[in-house]
Amino acid sequence: MKSLGLLLLLLGIFCLSRCQEDSENVRRIMKEMDVVPDILEEPPKELLRVRYDNTFDIEEGKSYTPTELKFQPRLDWNADPESFYTVIMICPDAPNRENPMYRSWLHWLVVNVPGLDIMKGQPISDYFGPLPPKDSGNQRYLILVYQQSEKLAFDEEKIEMSNADGHSNFEVKKFAQKYEMGNPVAGNIFQSRWDEYVPELMKTLYGVNE
């Protein structure tokens, strides 16, 4: 019994140390990649664990293809099951990092998420993956989680995926301020560049060839 107790104690210390390291890494990389202060005033408090297609976890700052990111990911963070959250995914580099005239492009917005159960949240903008233009280089993508004070009455109309105007120039800081959500409690950042799936997605969403 003493050995089991010691093992559990050591495991707890290891997990705490790993969580602290993850949180420090995400704060560091958000600053290194100019997310702070360009998009956020403060980095997220903890690392948001993002898993795509149940096969791979996003490693913060790394680059992935649009093909790999086409389906809605699973998210995990240190959520209070009694609280409600807002999940936001944006690209601050549309159409490219040198000329981000559409900053930020909204890729996903779900509000009133109870705990970790995103499927029970209220979708304002359904998920669609990165669609970086050809020759635009790597674009940054942020997934952020905000904690709400309670279940809120959002006055935002649902944004259809085919409505480009509803997705461009989304101001995440203003949205968070409007609903008094403060700074994000969790977040992650990754990059993506054009691949052959982008024209297919553009045609599906907007009926145009890239």
Side-chain angles (χ1 to χ4, degrees), residues 28-29 32-33 52 56-65 68-69 130 138-142 188-193:
R28 172 184 55 78
I29 204 161
E32 288 179 356
M33 296 185 71
Y52 273 93
F56 68 93
D57 295 329
I58 289 295
E59 185 176 349
E60 56 272 24
K62 299 300 181 183
S63 185
Y64 303 87
T65 67
E68 292 175 306
L69 308 173
N138 271 332
Q139 291 187 344
R140 298 168 296 172
Y141 293 84
L142 299 172
N188 208 329
I189 180 171
F190 52 89
Q191 301 181 80
S192 187
R193 65 168 59 231

Side-chain angles (χ1 to χ4, degrees), residues 50-56 58 64-74 89 107-108 126-132 141 143 161 190-193 195-202 204-205:
V50 181
R51 170 164 288 192
Y52 273 93
D53 203 22
N54 286 327
T55 56
F56 68 93
I58 289 295
Y64 303 87
T65 67
T67 301
E68 292 175 306
L69 308 173
K70 65 169 67 174
F71 299 119
Q72 179 176 312
R74 293 179 58 188
M89 176 175 164
H107 283 261
W108 193 19
D126 292 326
Y127 176 88
F128 68 92
L131 63 167
Y141 293 84
I143 304 183
M161 287 194 287
F190 52 89
Q191 301 181 80
S192 187
R193 65 168 59 231
D195 76 354
E196 65 280 356
Y197 177 65
V198 173
E200 180 183 336
L201 182 58
M202 289 290 291
T204 300
L205 291 176

Side-chain angles (χ1 to χ4, degrees), residues 14-31:
F14 172 78
C15 290
L16 179 60
S17 176
R18 179 63 184 272
C19 289
Q20 289 175 339
E21 182 180 347
D22 287 344
S23 298
E24 289 172 2
N25 283 342
V26 75
R27 287 194 291 267
R28 172 184 55 78
I29 204 161
M30 290 278 183
K31 292 177 181 178

